[in-house]
Amino acid sequence: MELRFYNTLTNSTEVFQPVDSDCVRMYSCGPTVYDFAHIGNFRSFLFADVIRRTLEFFGHKVHHVMNITDVGHMTDDAAADGAGEDKMQAAARRMKEDKKSGKVPEGAVQNPDDPYQIAKYYTDAFLADARTLGVKVAFEYPENILHATANIDSMLEMIGQLIQNGHAYVGPDKVVYYSVESFPAYGKLSGNTLDQLMTGASRRISDENQANKRHPADFMLWKPDSTHIMKWDSPWGAGYPGWHIECSCMARKRLGRDVIDIHTGGEDLIFPHHECEIAQTCGATGQETFSRFWMHARFLLVEGEKMSKSKGNFYTVRDVLQGRVKDDKGQPTGIHVHPSVLRLELIKSHYRGNMNFTQKGLVDSAGAVKRLSDFRAKLEAATGGKAEPVDLSYPILNEFASALADDLNVAGALGAILPWAASNPSDPAKALGALNRINEVLAVAPLHPASEDSGAGSGEAAEIQALCKELDDARKRKDFAAADNLRGQIQKRGYDVKTSPNGTVAEKRLA
RNA sequence: GGGGCGGUAGCCAAGUGGCUAAGGCAACGGAUUGCAAAUCCGUCACGCGAGGGUUCGACUCCCUCUCGCCCCUCCA
């Protein structure tokens, strides 16, 4: 089956073919580790995960690499926003407050003034969240998730190559800049052209800083700064690297190719980040192409609005999982969300449209996850767990695959399998085989055990069971008022109450 | 101002130049139930942001407008 992806580089949907047929090499822009990653970040990471899993579904071997930005970049290279505080310093300040208030566990970060400790704290949190949500590459740390600070050498090497190739220069301020005019293709990815950028509407670039550059769009590769919180020796003085260079270097180094297959990120990274990466890599390698495909996920909205801390709709993964999503009255629901539910919620709509994250959507996704899980349980019961492998000629699998092959149409794929998951297949062993393959991509059923929810406490489970027993007793003696009351109590604690042949059963709600 | 993406029922969300515009949720009717839940059966867009144009025929192609989102500053 032909795989087609929308390529930001050409603004069109193209048939995907790897450069080398042995393996697809893809790189995803990962998180900065100055704070917890939020669900918008994870929409992008999960989008990359779905690409990877889809490629694997179609039989490709995939080498997926992601970066962790732990260099203490300034909030702005040119201090144009007035603050100009180093992000790592800001994190340190926040960390000290959080330690005082007990938000950071005792001993988690010994010394907040050590940027590596802060980076480690948030890196660990990111990896934990990513694994909880089934992001495959997170299980390949540290081989395929690379720290920028561990790769300064290759950045220095690439900067040297760029100077040598005439793509970079040392400005009067001793800063090493990339010369965008030396790279004619600059702007191809984003559609921006140099003259348009020059007259850019933002006007937030300081004149002082611009005076040192040959062109206003020239960007920093290395900044000598002996006062910076994180600094390394270099031929251009002790300092730190520009933001864009790490991805160019680490993709090349770890993937072992000058030209890779797929590069992913959020839509905001198209310009300047990815544009600059292309200029750097191609400037250094002399190739015309850095990545054949550039794929970008649109932004996530929360209840129809931009996510922002001031609006109170800013959620981390753990906020959602631990029931801190607010309902329409602005109160936390208190209902723990199963990771599979959040995963599905964040991947279920097309990546090229804005996604609206809502409490209602979460409940919706919980229903879908439950249906798929119940379906699996039914098939396993019917077959004793013995699945028969099926190929793409199996009708449902074919529909599922066709949708995915068409620019990652997850919603279309779900449209095919959800009614199927409510049916009674005549060949349960084959159906189970199909479900297994489908789940390689979706990874939502069975519910993976990495759930923090599983620690709900055996005490609670026993209590709920006792309440169910009481309920059954009440029903037996036809004390329906008491029964209704007990049912209400159980429901209030986040369980669905069901009547089964073996008496009342309570199931924890998934969202 | 420039570059890019999107607007499909109460909500989420596919899709196609021409059979009856997927699927899910919600809602409604029925079976079932002490009542519910779960489950099962059924109903639910004469319409695809607005207006033009091309066409035998467009929601799908073209133009204009409009709304939303991202970027031109760090940001998934």
Side-chain angles (χ1 to χ4, degrees):
Chain A
M1 195 175 286
E2 211 166 59
L3 262 169
R4 295 158 59 81
F5 293 140
Y6 183 89
N7 190 353
T8 307
L9 193 59
T10 57
N11 294 137
S12 61
T13 304
E14 299 173 24
V15 174
F16 175 78
Q17 279 293 336
V19 179
D20 293 320
S21 56
D22 66 317
C23 178
V24 175
R25 291 169 176 85
M26 69 181 276
Y27 184 92
S28 298
C29 282
T32 53
V33 284
Y34 314 125
D35 203 347
F36 293 110
H38 54 70
I39 54 175
N41 297 315
F42 269 96
R43 146 102 137 153
S44 167
F45 305 147
L46 284 165
F47 152 65
D49 185 64
V50 171
I51 296 175
R52 180 224 177 118
R53 288 171 178 270
T54 297
L55 288 163
E56 289 173 342
F57 176 89
F58 284 104
H60 288 102
K61 191 174 161 237
V62 180
H63 189 177
H64 186 196
V65 171
M66 185 181 269
N67 67 297
I68 285 188
T69 299
D70 52 356
V71 173
H73 290 292
M74 303 301 279
T75 45
D76 188 278
D77 291 348
D81 65 358
E85 186 181 25
D86 182 278
K87 286 180 180 172
M88 206 52 102
Q89 267 162 0
R93 192 166 33 73
R94 204 179 48 241
M95 180 70 74
K96 284 176 194 165
E97 285 162 17
D98 287 353
K99 271 182 81 121
K100 257 186 233 161
S101 67
K103 268 160 84 180
V104 175
E106 199 67 39
V109 176
Q110 295 287 346
N111 176 16
D113 287 319
D114 178 355
Y116 287 95
Q117 288 190 27
I118 291 178
K120 182 173 188 320
Y121 178 73
Y122 288 117
T123 298
D124 289 348
F126 163 72
L127 291 171
D129 290 347
R131 287 169 182 164
T132 299
L133 294 181
V135 177
K136 261 187 160 179
V137 73
F139 294 94
E140 299 166 352
Y141 178 85
E143 310 93 74
N144 291 329
I145 295 189
L146 309 181
H147 289 267
T149 52
N151 290 277
I152 302 293
D153 286 352
S154 42
M155 297 186 214
L156 294 176
E157 191 187 327
M158 187 174 275
I159 293 168
Q161 286 170 343
L162 288 171
I163 292 177
Q164 205 175 357
N165 294 352
H167 288 295
Y169 61 92
V170 178
D173 53 357
K174 308 293 184 208
V175 173
V176 184
Y177 292 107
Y178 188 99
S179 169
V180 294
E181 288 162 310
S182 74
F183 188 71
Y186 192 82
K188 191 180 169 207
L189 179 71
S190 61
N192 291 327
T193 60
L194 289 181
D195 55 317
Q196 281 160 352
L197 285 172
M198 220 175 349
T199 57
S202 71
R203 294 185 196 286
R204 275 169 285 191
I205 297 160
S206 75
D207 294 343
E208 197 182 325
N209 180 265
Q210 290 308 318
N212 292 307
K213 299 182 183 178
R214 293 181 189 166
H215 183 101
D218 286 356
F219 55 93
M220 182 185 109
L221 294 173
W222 187 266
K223 180 162 187 167
D225 180 353
S226 56
T227 66
H228 194 68
I229 188 166
M230 295 171 103
K231 55 179 183 286
W232 296 265
D233 285 332
S234 92
W236 308 282
Y240 62 97
W243 172 44
H244 313 301
I245 194 77
E246 65 183 60
C247 294
S248 287
C249 288
M250 296 195 292
R252 187 186 189 190
K253 184 179 174 187
R254 186 68 187 101
L255 292 172
R257 289 288 192 285
D258 286 349
V259 181
I260 66 170
D261 294 301
I262 300 175
H263 195 123
T264 74
E267 61 173 317
D268 56 324
L269 295 183
I270 296 170
F271 190 92
H273 186 54
H274 288 164
E275 196 76 75
C276 295
E277 280 188 47
I278 293 172
Q280 290 166 335
T281 299
C282 294
T285 64
Q287 299 279 350
E288 270 184 29
T289 308
F290 169 22
S291 177
R292 296 250 294 249
F293 277 77
W294 289 84
M295 297 174 69
H296 296 97
R298 298 291 148 198
F299 265 33
L300 175 90
L301 303 174
V302 173
E303 302 289 352
E305 292 189 286
K306 279 177 76 163
M307 185 162 58
S308 75
K309 285 184 176 164
S310 60
K311 276 185 190 147
N313 62 357
F314 186 96
Y315 300 126
T316 61
V317 169
R318 34 203 80 199
D319 286 337
V320 177
L321 264 27
Q322 294 165 11
R324 289 194 290 273
V325 171
K326 291 174 184 144
D327 60 21
D328 49 9
K329 293 183 192 80
Q331 294 302 308
T333 62
I335 296 171
H336 285 227
V337 173
H338 190 99
S340 292
V341 172
L342 179 56
R343 177 179 169 94
L344 185 66
E345 177 65 13
L346 291 176
I347 65 174
K348 75 181 179 187
S349 68
H350 195 94
Y351 73 92
R352 282 198 300 124
N354 286 117
M355 165 181 282
N356 191 14
F357 179 88
T358 61
Q359 170 58 26
K360 203 167 171 239
L362 224 38
V363 173
D364 233 56
S365 293
V369 167
K370 191 173 158 0
R371 179 180 291 192
L372 291 169
S373 300
D374 288 352
F375 187 52
R376 168 175 293 282
K378 185 165 82 179
L379 296 177
E380 283 178 342
T383 60
K386 285 206 186 73
E388 189 176 323
V390 293
D391 61 24
L392 295 188
S393 64
Y394 189 77
I396 271 296
L397 201 56
N398 192 273
E399 276 185 64
F400 179 80
S402 302
L404 284 181
D406 179 18
D407 195 27
L408 239 49
N409 185 353
V410 178
L414 289 170
I417 64 167
L418 285 174
W420 170 67
S423 69
N424 283 301
S426 54
D427 50 357
K430 282 186 178 174
L432 186 55
L435 182 61
N436 282 340
R437 290 202 59 187
I438 287 165
N439 197 237
E440 284 166 22
V441 178
L442 299 181
V444 298
L447 311 169
H448 39 80
S451 163
E452 296 183 22
D453 261 12
S454 54
S458 49
E460 176 171 300
E463 264 179 65
I464 297 295
Q465 225 176 340
L467 286 170
C468 288
K469 175 94 177 41
E470 272 186 64
L471 199 160
D472 281 337
D473 291 344
R475 291 185 67 198
K476 256 177 222 151
R477 60 174 193 270
K478 298 209 187 302
D479 184 352
F480 297 123
D484 291 346
N485 180 293
L486 283 160
R487 181 162 55 215
Q489 280 184 46
I490 301 169
Q491 285 171 334
K492 223 172 164 179
R493 297 181 61 166
Y495 287 77
D496 286 326
V497 179
K498 293 174 190 172
T499 306
S500 81
N502 306 318
T504 298
V505 177
E507 272 182 16
K508 194 159 177 68
R509 278 201 291 273
L510 298 174

